[in-house]
Amino acid sequence: MEDIRNAILEFAEKSKKSKFYFSDMEKAVKKVIPDVKARMVKKAATSLINEEKLIYFSTGSTTMYGLKGKGQTEDH
Amino acid sequence: MAFEPNEPQEKIKYDEMRIYSDEELNNYTEEELKNFKTKHDTPMCDDLESGPWPSFVADAKREALHRRKLADDRILLSAETVEDTLGQLEDSFVDGETHWKHGGIVGVFGYGGGVIGRYSDLQEKYPAVAHFHTLRVNQPMSKFYNTDFLRTICDLWEYRGSGMMNMHGSTGDIILLGTTTEQLEPIFYQMTHEMQQDLGGSGSNLRSPSCCLGRARCEWSCIDTQDMCYELTHYYQDELHRPAFPYKFKFKFDGCPNGCVASIARSDMSFIGTWKDDIRIDQDAVQAYIAGDIAPNGGAHAGKDWGKFDIQKEVINLCPTACMWMEDGKLMIDNKECTRCMHCINTMPQALRPGADTGVSILFGAKAPILEGAQMAVLTVPFMKCEPPYENIKDLVEKVWDWWMEEGKNRERLGELIQRWGLPKFLEVIGLPPMPQMVTEPRSNPYIFWKAEEVPGGFKRNIEDYRVKHMR
């Protein structure tokens, strides 16, 4: 689990975009850990959300993830 | 079957949660309402009150007056939220565009759905609605509320929100319209900890599942829609609240093919109660309908004299598959041809009933966007038994989700993915053989292309010869 979390954080920090889809995050993790399952990526992302390292960004119809502190992360 | 909660339920202390007295709730007279002028001139909104139907503008004005007359310390948001909403709506009508910006990072802790950030782009003109977030509240099965619950949630929303709500959104949720970021967590706490009420789905989540009245109120329901909806809502809590899908996903449950929640048109995975034995016929009741002793259609359409009931004209000739006829004074049905249109059962409910061996048909891929691209679901599983704890249903759901999560593009609904890959691939994923009823347009879009190894004796062809006449 820790290696998945690290892969997510590394992707989020390096990503040019401040908000990204779950599938893009999953693909980035798969490059590091090829046999990882989507459900494990989701669990790792949820734990990072709960630790407030990642944030959800919702348009209402779609949800994206973002790194807290990068891009728009405060109520505007 | 009596309701059995999945977890122990505490008695909800509604009396302790109520906020307003009867005097506060009824704090204006009809005379005051007649003379009430809202903060902004809204002639185009006012015009909506002149139509034949009850108008949300009239309701909004009542609420605006009600909030004006409440004491300042009895509401936490501005008393002018409703008036500013109407003012901004008027500007939208004038300008021909919305003045709401939606989306953002607001939410409640740990949830990726249920809250939709909303902001005005005219914040200086309409400061009371500058931050105006929406909450979705997961409706109880079939929307069976009690009045204590409704009064309590109305009090909560008057106190911590705008006082305006929609009953209901498309997925069935109560939509609470307009509050500020700092009110989200207190509202969430009271709903979840004190009212045992969860938020609904939004974003790339499983949306709040919804069902018809089912066996609670309807003799035709072939499945216990409420139980199934309740079980799957609880079982898939993670999918409801923690978004990881390519886009939204909706379950809906219809107890019979009358389809009162229109699952066939509005859900990615539609469950419709059906039967696989024969329609049950009471021949004495058939004769009573013919003789005029029982009113057809359960007595509906009684406001006009339609003449004597004619079973040939009103039932047999209207059967879409022509599978009914009279023989020696008895109504006969060729059940294998029945397409479950429900017309005969609806017309003569005392004479005809759905069969007794019941289960669900499962259809996939519907969507109903407002602007374009509406799509009906495709019948994929003709019949599946449907008993608690629904393990066979859950297995199927998870096969579908695994494929969609693996192959779906961002913002691609399941129905679009099935179209992009073709039905044969989808059938392979869920492990079902194709059948003629899956073919929607035999000439132009047959859907099913056989492989040589699937046909006895196989076949050979030269693709280049084929392409001479069938260009890509």
Side-chain angles (χ1 to χ4, degrees):
Chain A
M1 177 69 104
E2 201 53 37
D3 49 350
I4 304 173
R5 285 162 48 96
N6 289 338
I8 292 173
L9 289 174
E10 190 179 344
F11 166 71
E13 280 161 12
K14 286 185 179 167
S15 172
K16 286 179 187 167
K17 294 178 182 171
S18 63
K19 307 290 178 290
F20 40 84
Y21 289 104
F22 177 84
S23 62
D24 299 331
M25 181 166 71
E26 187 195 346
K27 276 178 205 153
V29 174
K30 274 191 171 158
K31 279 186 188 165
V32 184
I33 311 163
D35 58 346
V36 72
K37 300 277 183 226
R39 282 177 196 276
M40 290 307 294
V41 178
K42 182 177 172 178
K43 276 188 183 174
T46 301
S47 72
L48 290 167
I49 292 273
N50 290 339
E51 290 170 19
E52 299 188 60
K53 291 178 179 166
L54 287 186
I55 52 162
Y56 291 121
F57 177 91
S58 173
T59 66
S61 63
T62 318
T63 312
M64 302 172 90
Y65 289 74
L67 187 68
K68 190 170 174 65
K70 186 174 177 181
Q72 177 219 325
T73 57
E74 299 301 328
D75 196 7
H76 65 269
Chain B
M1 188 175 75
F3 172 66
E4 289 177 17
N6 281 345
E7 52 198 59
Q9 294 199 319
E10 292 170 14
K11 186 172 170 51
I12 300 173
K13 296 171 183 168
Y14 290 114
D15 288 344
E16 294 176 13
M17 286 184 278
R18 291 300 306 278
I19 296 170
Y20 299 107
S21 65
D22 285 350
E23 289 72 29
E24 286 175 307
L25 293 173
N26 299 289
N27 66 352
Y28 63 89
T29 65
E30 291 301 308
E31 191 62 24
E32 286 175 299
L33 180 66
K34 210 169 140 187
N35 297 321
F36 176 56
K37 293 275 179 263
T38 53
K39 184 177 157 192
H40 311 283
D41 283 336
T42 56
M44 294 174 87
C45 288
D46 298 347
D47 196 46
L48 297 175
E49 292 182 86
S50 62
W53 305 104
S55 168
F56 71 93
V57 176
D59 287 345
K61 287 180 179 173
R62 281 182 178 273
E63 176 62 9
L65 175 59
H66 173 57
R67 286 178 76 85
R68 280 268 191 103
K69 296 200 70 180
L70 281 172
D72 287 347
D73 63 347
R74 300 296 281 157
I75 47 177
L76 297 180
L77 267 62
S78 165
E80 295 178 347
T81 50
V82 183
E83 291 169 77
D84 275 6
T85 303
L86 285 175
Q88 179 166 307
L89 181 61
E90 184 75 16
D91 276 7
S92 296
F93 288 155
V94 172
D95 299 338
E97 63 178 14
T98 183
H99 286 292
W100 293 118
K101 299 182 289 180
H102 68 95
I105 60 157
V106 291
V108 292
F109 185 70
Y111 273 38
V115 178
I116 299 147
R118 196 171 302 275
Y119 305 88
S120 170
D121 69 3
L122 300 172
Q123 299 197 356
E124 287 182 9
K125 192 171 178 186
Y126 302 112
V129 297
H131 293 207
F132 211 60
H133 311 316
T134 296
L135 281 114
R136 291 189 180 160
V137 182
N138 195 341
Q139 80 278 14
M141 303 309 101
S142 311
K143 306 182 185 70
F144 280 9
Y145 303 107
N146 66 28
T147 49
D148 280 331
F149 173 87
L150 290 173
R151 288 193 177 101
T152 305
I153 204 156
C154 286
D155 272 13
L156 172 66
W157 191 238
E158 190 80 83
Y159 186 61
R160 294 191 179 276
S162 70
M164 291 185 288
M165 57 172 69
N166 285 345
M167 302 286 278
H168 301 79
S170 296
T171 36
D173 297 317
I174 298 176
I175 311 288
L176 302 180
L177 294 163
T179 194
T180 54
T181 306
E182 58 267 29
Q183 297 304 330
L184 295 173
E185 288 291 350
I187 292 167
F188 180 58
Y189 183 88
Q190 178 166 335
M191 285 204 299
T192 51
H193 288 72
E194 295 173 6
M195 298 176 72
Q196 296 178 14
Q197 175 59 57
D198 201 3
L199 293 186
S202 69
S204 305
N205 273 321
L206 173 65
R207 302 302 182 84
S208 311
S210 73
C211 63
C212 68
L213 298 174
R215 287 181 176 159
R217 301 282 294 170
C218 181
E219 64 194 274
W220 291 324
S221 190
C222 299
I223 53 170
D224 190 341
T225 54
Q226 293 182 311
D227 184 64
M228 196 174 170
C229 189
Y230 177 76
E231 169 61 22
L232 294 193
T233 302
H234 278 240
Y235 190 78
Y236 291 121
Q237 280 287 293
D238 198 53
E239 284 72 14
L240 243 164
H241 298 308
R242 282 164 274 283
F245 288 152
Y247 203 15
K248 62 181 86 167
F249 192 94
K250 298 177 182 180
F251 290 140
K252 294 190 194 296
F253 307 89
D254 279 309
C256 80
N258 274 328
C260 290
V261 292
S263 66
I264 192 171
R266 305 197 300 145
S267 57
D268 300 271
M269 189 169 184
S270 156
F271 299 89
I272 303 179
T274 188
W275 60 93
K276 68 174 180 180
D277 52 350
D278 295 344
I279 292 174
R280 289 173 283 176
I281 308 178
D282 178 341
Q283 295 290 355
D284 291 339
V286 172
Q287 292 306 319
Y289 276 105
I290 294 170
D293 297 336
I294 305 174
N297 298 295
H301 318 299
K304 184 179 167 185
D305 182 7
W306 296 90
K308 192 172 183 300
F309 176 66
D310 181 342
I311 192 170
Q312 188 69 38
K313 184 178 159 195
E314 295 178 44
V315 178
I316 294 173
N317 290 354
L318 296 179
C319 176
T321 56
C323 72
M324 310 179 82
W325 70 98
M326 295 299 291
E327 190 172 305
D328 299 331
K330 289 190 170 179
L331 179 65
M332 310 298 284
I333 301 176
D334 182 1
N335 278 277
K336 70 177 189 306
E337 295 296 331
C338 171
T339 192
R340 307 294 190 268
C341 82
M342 292 292 287
H343 177 72
C344 61
I345 295 173
N346 291 339
T347 308
M348 304 193 297
Q350 287 190 51
L352 301 172
R353 286 189 295 160
D357 189 359
T358 58
V360 280
S361 293
I362 303 176
L363 301 85
F364 289 96
K367 61 194 181 95
I370 296 167
L371 293 178
E372 58 184 59
Q375 190 169 298
M376 291 283 274
V378 175
L379 173 65
T380 310
V381 181
F383 186 88
M384 187 180 259
K385 288 304 277 186
C386 188
E387 308 289 345
Y390 310 105
E391 292 300 338
N392 55 342
I393 305 278
K394 290 170 186 168
D395 285 347
L396 179 62
V397 166
E398 285 159 30
K399 275 183 197 168
V400 172
W401 281 349
D402 283 347
W403 182 59
W404 181 48
M405 288 176 73
E406 181 73 26
E407 302 294 347
K409 294 179 181 175
N410 294 326
R411 297 176 63 83
E412 183 174 49
R413 295 284 289 270
L414 176 66
E416 293 162 329
L417 177 65
I418 293 171
Q419 283 198 332
R420 183 159 64 83
W421 276 81
L423 193 65
K425 177 65 185 175
F426 183 58
L427 296 178
E428 189 184 311
V429 167
I430 61 174
L432 273 186
M435 59 180 222
Q437 282 82 352
M438 295 168 182
V439 178
T440 51
E441 299 166 51
R443 298 288 175 200
S444 64
N445 181 14
Y447 264 143
I448 307 300
F449 296 96
W450 301 103
K451 294 175 184 167
E453 60 270 25
E454 292 169 336
V455 179
F459 56 80
K460 286 184 182 167
R461 66 167 184 170
N462 183 330
I463 189 67
E464 285 168 10
D465 289 346
Y466 175 81
R467 286 286 169 231
V468 171
K469 286 188 177 175
H470 301 87
M471 299 291 282
R472 270 197 184 278

